[in-house]
Amino acid sequence: MISVTFPDGAARQYPAGIRGSEIAKGISPSLAKRTVAMVLNGELADLADPIEHDVKLEFIDREDPRALELIRHDAAHVLAEAVQSLYPGTQVTIGPVIENGFYYDFFRNAPFTPEDFPAIEKKMAEIIARDKPFTKEVWSREQAKAWFEEHGEAFKVELVDAIPEDQDLKIYKQGEWLDLCRGPHMTSTGKIGNAFKLMKVAGAYWRGDSNKPMLQRIYATAFAKQAELDAYLKQIEEAERRDHRRLGREMDLFHFQEEGPGTVFWHPKGWTLFQTLIAYMRRRQQAADYVEVNTPQVLDRALWETSGHWQTYRENMFTTITEDERVFALKPMNCPGHIQIFKNGLKSYRDLPLKIAEFGIVHRYEPSGAIHGIMRVRAFTQDDAHIFCTEDQIMDEALKINDLILSIYADFGFDDVVVKLSTRPDKRVGSDEAWDKAEAALQQVLDVLTARGLKTQISPGEGAFYGPKLEYTLRDAIGREWQCGTTQVDFNLPGRFGAFYIGADSEKKTPVMIHRASFGSLERFTGILIEHYAGHLPLWLSPVQIVVATITQDADDYAYDVVTQARKLGLRAEFDLRNEKINYKVREHSLAKIPVLLVVGKREAQERTVSVRRLGTQDQVSLPLDAALAALAGEATPPDLRRLASVEAPALAPDIG
């Protein structure tokens, strides 16, 4: 007999080998009908699996969040069957679940196109409607290879050979069609439902190797409910409208070209935005007692071997060999350089915490297929910082970092933030004892944040190779999540480099190193901001805050005067004196996402007024020039400086619409 414990804590005895489906039927026929899978000791499993040992058991229906992965996994199998039914001779390869959906890779001489999608979706709906059960069989390798060879599935034969000898070779059937798969699956194809959609087709090399055959990858998604699918498709449509690459062109911010793959060519307006972000962060860091440094871009291989990057991160590094045969690497991270600065000169416990910050440019090799605008590049700038402290100071410093990061995000309009604790990965450096201490320290911090009401999670195995970390994930205006800031507790790197300070007992002690980033990659954060605001940046961030547009040439001199006065107040202002109709100018500057147009003509010049027109509105407000510029200058003040000014001399700026 075995003991099965249910979510309410109740335990029952059952014969060893009883199936989950049998237990569900014994409890309630309605439970058995709505259950699609089970969770055994925290792991998803087929409902038909036999249970051989004492377990904690939970039944889940298709609307349980944990079932979404199964819905998509099952839909991938149905997609593969539909394709092979419609296009005989097509070979199937793999079809995993990914973020927001799934894909399946096929080998076929003729290309798939989006025009094929309606027929494939129709066939998928037919297969789902048959409601055939998913059944699992364990085959021998010889049996599996013989079957796949007989059916011309060369890629599946290769996959069979790749499965370790100590693992079962599982075959899942849905009616007459079958696939090699680890599982688990739901009880039948009908449980998938019809809330699915094929999204796009792309090329992909078999096993990711450019020397192997090119496959065709069909991307798709599926949800438990049609309303969820509709919401996702609407989000995708909105994301396309907000795509930072398109907006970057329209706003004249940056471009890319083949000679510099994964690197950004910043235009004047884009660089102004970039430098505005740096200036903001520099002020926030200085106010929090960080000191700014700068470290070399290129460093000898020996340093990266000491840090552990060469052993654990080498495939992501750009390297070079000089004529004297020294091996150098472009830095992928700033931390080793900051340790060198800490080591330069004797440090006492009285010097701690020492907070070192750098807007450091780093280079990391990203596969060509992974590069995406300024969101994922090969060269980027980090708002990187490292706090050297004692173990007793970890909690206090981590909470200070948390408060700083959350305040920064709020200034940019991000109030929905989740803090995730990422624990030790399989590939790491340092002793288990050091990892235990670091994880325990961050768990304490996470407990405090949870008690404060923040959203928190655990992400097992997602830590950096040198230490666990808190990851700050923010949600944008259309509901997407972006992981940006991090706080990483590191007991390893300072010791590897022999860094020390003199303690109160006059003995040498190894400092703890807390790695901190708020924006993370400034390039990526810039892209997030562009998409979050759909290009309509707050006035203080906009590269060009005001354009003074003339109606007639009679106002040209006045337009110069307006721009001059605006610039004296610190506003980023330009003029448009072209001999074009004002409606044409308004459309053009709206496309470029200029937040404020000051329209001037002969009458405005005579009265020293301006017609204020805001991006996204048809309304205009006529105001005296001095009042309009004063109000705009107040609005364009960065939020941190505005807070400082309100403390020193509270005042209200006039409303200019």
Side-chain angles (χ1 to χ4, degrees), residues 185-293:
H185 285 271
M186 295 188 293
T187 51
S188 67
T189 61
K191 300 298 190 296
I192 297 170
N194 289 312
F196 66 87
K197 184 172 181 60
L198 305 188
M199 303 298 293
K200 63 179 180 179
V201 63
Y205 289 111
W206 171 234
R207 311 297 286 274
D209 187 340
S210 60
N211 296 314
K212 293 185 177 180
M214 172 66 77
L215 307 176
Q216 296 187 63
R217 176 172 295 176
I218 296 179
Y219 286 95
T221 192
F223 289 86
K225 298 178 181 178
Q226 185 64 39
E228 294 171 345
L229 174 61
D230 292 342
Y232 175 71
L233 296 177
K234 185 176 180 180
Q235 184 189 70
I236 292 296
E237 181 181 348
E238 182 63 18
E240 291 176 356
R241 187 180 74 83
R242 294 168 177 257
D243 192 315
H244 73 280
R245 295 168 296 181
R246 179 178 63 81
L247 290 171
R249 289 192 300 272
E250 293 175 357
M251 297 170 70
D252 192 23
L253 301 180
F254 52 79
H255 83 273
F256 300 90
Q257 58 191 65
E258 185 56 37
E259 291 83 354
T263 54
V264 188
F265 288 78
W266 288 104
H267 298 188
K269 292 176 184 177
W271 194 240
T272 297
L273 171 58
F274 195 85
Q275 290 301 317
T276 300
L277 293 175
I278 287 180
Y280 166 86
M281 184 59 70
R282 180 171 282 129
R283 292 192 302 270
R284 298 302 307 270
Q285 290 180 159
Q286 287 174 345
D289 298 324
Y290 288 81
V291 292
E292 190 173 329
V293 301

Side-chain angles (χ1 to χ4, degrees), residues 225-431:
K225 298 178 181 178
Q226 185 64 39
E228 294 171 345
L229 174 61
D230 292 342
Y232 175 71
L233 296 177
K234 185 176 180 180
Q235 184 189 70
I236 292 296
E237 181 181 348
E238 182 63 18
E240 291 176 356
R241 187 180 74 83
R242 294 168 177 257
D243 192 315
H244 73 280
R245 295 168 296 181
R246 179 178 63 81
L247 290 171
R249 289 192 300 272
E250 293 175 357
M251 297 170 70
D252 192 23
L253 301 180
F254 52 79
H255 83 273
F256 300 90
Q257 58 191 65
E258 185 56 37
E259 291 83 354
T263 54
V264 188
F265 288 78
W266 288 104
H267 298 188
K269 292 176 184 177
W271 194 240
T272 297
L273 171 58
F274 195 85
Q275 290 301 317
T276 300
L277 293 175
I278 287 180
Y280 166 86
M281 184 59 70
R282 180 171 282 129
R283 292 192 302 270
R284 298 302 307 270
Q285 290 180 159
Q286 287 174 345
D289 298 324
Y290 288 81
V291 292
E292 190 173 329
V293 301
N294 188 263
T295 57
Q297 291 287 305
V298 181
L299 291 163
D300 190 280
R301 165 182 175 168
L303 180 139
W304 303 111
E305 289 177 332
T306 301
S307 70
H309 286 84
W310 198 264
Q311 299 87 328
T312 57
Y313 206 73
R314 169 67 185 84
E315 66 274 14
N316 300 104
M317 296 169 67
F318 288 94
T319 61
T320 185
I321 302 176
T322 58
E323 289 191 9
D324 59 358
E325 298 187 351
R326 287 186 69 182
V327 179
F328 291 88
L330 282 170
K331 65 176 178 180
M333 298 180 189
N334 299 298
C335 11
H338 289 190
I339 296 176
Q340 307 314 307
I341 291 176
F342 178 87
K343 288 175 61 181
N344 196 273
L346 193 63
K347 302 295 187 298
S348 161
Y349 70 96
R350 295 187 182 89
D351 298 316
L352 306 184
L354 176 60
K355 304 177 183 182
I356 295 176
E358 177 178 7
F359 296 102
I361 300 173
V362 297
H363 291 75
R364 300 177 186 176
Y365 178 76
E366 294 281 358
S368 298
I371 294 172
H372 179 72
I374 61 175
M375 297 289 205
R376 193 160 184 180
V377 289
R378 289 177 175 171
F380 57 94
T381 304
Q382 288 183 306
D383 63 323
D384 212 355
H386 295 91
I387 295 92
F388 295 89
C389 63
T390 68
E391 288 188 37
D392 292 340
Q393 293 170 329
I394 293 175
M395 170 74 80
D396 187 43
E397 291 306 315
L399 290 175
K400 287 179 181 177
I401 291 170
N402 172 79
D403 295 344
L404 177 63
I405 288 177
L406 293 182
S407 170
I408 288 167
Y409 292 163
D411 280 349
F412 288 91
F414 299 110
D415 297 310
D416 188 353
V417 181
V418 179
V419 185
K420 302 177 182 179
L421 171 56
S422 298
T423 59
R424 70 192 73 186
D426 293 333
K427 193 175 181 180
R428 60 182 185 269
V429 297
S431 67

